[in-house]
Amino acid sequence: MESSAIFPLFYLPPVGYFSVLKEFDDELYIEMHEHFPKQTYRNRASVYSPNGVLDLTVPVIRGAKVHTKITEVKISNEFNWQKLHWKTFESCYRNSAYFEYYEDEFSVFYRKKYSHLFEFNMELLQWLMKQLKKDIDYNFTEEYIKEVGPGLDLRSKWRVNEVIKGADYKPYYQVFDDRQGFKPNLSIVDLLFNQGPQSRSYF
């Protein structure tokens, strides 16, 4: 595992996640022994709304002083967050070129009830890889490894609210870019809904 990268498991990961993923597609691990960190894309995704970038958050049940293993983090279903997320996707992407192309399969994730965040994110990641035609051979970590080789520990990469330079990402058409311009590194669904099957050639 010395030359293998360790990736976090995100909710609808940003585009940059998949750009890096392809660099390690034959030797990567998905972290499943870390403690759940706050303010990350593990339960958050960014989309392009009519008013700009909007973050969608999957609510989780977590004690304030308890370190919870990522695979044990439970989703809070006290209110219908899935309905809220789906309505947001519709308002943001209903007029995109390919929303209807993915709608039937994608909507399943917002009708099915999930109890754990890791399971939900994993099923979404597998679906996303299928849409992007990414046949990636990945494994899961068997323990938490604190020290990882340079450039291989990606668990702290892609922080929420970090400044993203648009020049680092190839622009593509976005539904509202006539209002606020191109927004880089949003959730991969922004790329999918706007570019469809051509998304895989983006990388």
Side-chain angles (χ1 to χ4, degrees):
M1 195 174 159
E2 294 181 356
S3 62
S4 300
I6 300 180
F7 281 74
L9 182 60
F10 289 162
Y11 168 52
L12 300 175
V15 170
Y17 182 97
F18 290 91
S19 295
V20 178
L21 201 67
K22 69 178 179 59
E23 298 176 15
F24 302 96
D25 62 5
D26 59 346
E27 48 180 352
L28 66 88
Y29 284 78
I30 292 176
E31 177 61 73
M32 64 181 299
H33 291 279
E34 65 180 356
H35 288 156
F36 176 68
K38 294 180 179 179
Q39 301 295 312
T40 75
Y41 289 113
R42 286 161 181 81
N43 68 321
R44 189 179 306 198
S46 298
V47 297
Y48 202 158
S49 78
N51 297 315
V53 177
L54 174 67
D55 286 345
L56 295 174
T57 302
V58 178
V60 297
I61 301 170
R62 181 171 180 265
K65 298 182 179 179
V66 178
H67 292 295
T68 308
K69 187 177 174 181
I70 190 68
T71 53
E72 297 172 359
V73 174
K74 292 184 178 181
I75 295 174
S76 174
N77 288 307
E78 291 185 3
F79 77 96
N80 198 343
W81 63 270
Q82 288 172 293
K83 182 178 180 180
L84 174 63
H85 284 208
W86 184 253
K87 283 187 173 182
T88 301
F89 291 131
E90 286 192 304
S91 66
C92 292
Y93 298 109
R94 174 60 68 189
N95 292 328
S96 65
Y98 292 95
F99 181 80
E100 292 184 357
Y101 181 86
Y102 296 106
E103 182 177 5
D104 288 346
E105 288 188 13
F106 188 56
S107 65
V108 171
F109 298 103
Y110 297 90
R111 295 196 305 269
K112 177 182 175 181
K113 291 299 180 184
Y114 292 86
S115 60
H116 287 79
L117 181 67
F118 195 88
E119 174 196 8
F120 179 53
N121 287 354
M122 197 65 230
E123 287 191 16
L124 277 168
L125 181 63
Q126 290 170 337
W127 182 79
L128 290 166
M129 287 181 175
K130 179 181 176 183
Q131 309 317 308
L132 294 169
K133 307 296 184 185
K134 284 185 172 292
D135 185 16
I136 293 175
D137 185 16
Y138 58 85
N139 297 289
F140 295 100
T141 56
E142 297 181 358
E143 60 182 343
Y144 184 78
I145 300 174
K146 188 174 182 180
E147 300 294 332
V148 183
L152 299 176
D153 188 354
L154 302 168
R155 293 171 293 191
S156 297
K157 194 172 175 64
W158 307 289
R159 296 178 183 275
V160 172
N161 296 326
E162 69 178 337
V163 177
I164 300 294
K165 295 180 181 179
D168 296 336
Y169 294 87
K170 293 182 294 183
Y172 55 87
Y173 172 79
Q174 294 171 317
V175 176
F176 303 111
D177 63 9
D178 60 329
R179 303 186 187 187
Q180 298 191 27
F182 176 67
K183 300 294 184 183
N185 206 33
L186 298 180
S187 168
I188 188 66
V189 296
D190 183 82
L191 179 65
L192 277 177
F193 294 154
N194 285 301
Q195 298 297 305
Q198 291 87 359
S199 297
R200 56 180 176 269
S201 63
Y202 180 84
F203 306 103

